[in-house]
Amino acid sequence: MKRAVIFVNGEMQNADRVKACLGADDFLIAADGGHRHLKTLGLLPHLVIGDLDSLPDDERQALTRAGVEIKTFPPEKDETDLELALLEAVGRRFKSILVV
């Protein structure tokens, strides 16, 4: 896996275009609410990170059962969920990072 692709909360304008940009060896990170975009694309993240205030408990349990790594932080953290995802990607030494 050479590239981390971080999905953030917000609007995804063109799901087909986003999916076409993804490679089979991309490491998919959902920054909290970004998990819903991966769900729309029919993909599972490798990692969900953040305070998880946008991730319903039933979806969190389903992701855990599917083997998705989940890193939870307290809501009163200093970083945004995107910053946490970027720090994680840099710490894992990905050669490139794409933010969706």
Side-chain angles (χ1 to χ4, degrees):
M1 290 179 248
K2 298 177 183 168
R3 179 174 73 165
V5 181
I6 300 172
F7 287 80
V8 296
N9 208 355
E11 293 184 32
M12 184 171 58
Q13 297 295 322
N14 190 332
D16 292 333
R17 185 171 168 195
V18 170
K19 194 163 188 176
C21 290
L22 300 177
D25 63 345
D26 286 338
F27 187 81
L28 306 177
I29 301 173
D32 198 355
H35 80 281
R36 65 187 177 90
H37 299 310
L38 284 161
K39 188 175 179 181
T40 296
L41 296 173
L43 301 171
L44 276 176
H46 295 97
L47 170 66
V48 178
I49 191 167
D51 58 19
L52 307 188
D53 61 344
S54 300
L55 185 64
D57 285 339
D58 60 332
E59 288 188 40
R60 181 180 180 160
Q61 292 171 7
L63 290 168
T64 300
R65 283 192 302 274
V68 174
E69 181 182 0
I70 297 178
K71 288 195 169 190
T72 308
F73 291 81
E76 54 279 343
K77 63 194 180 319
D78 291 330
E79 301 86 358
T80 66
D81 294 329
L82 173 56
E83 287 173 314
L84 292 171
L86 287 166
L87 289 168
E88 186 71 23
V90 168
R92 292 183 186 216
R93 301 192 185 284
F94 285 100
K95 294 184 181 186
S96 68
I97 300 169
L98 172 66
V99 178
V100 177

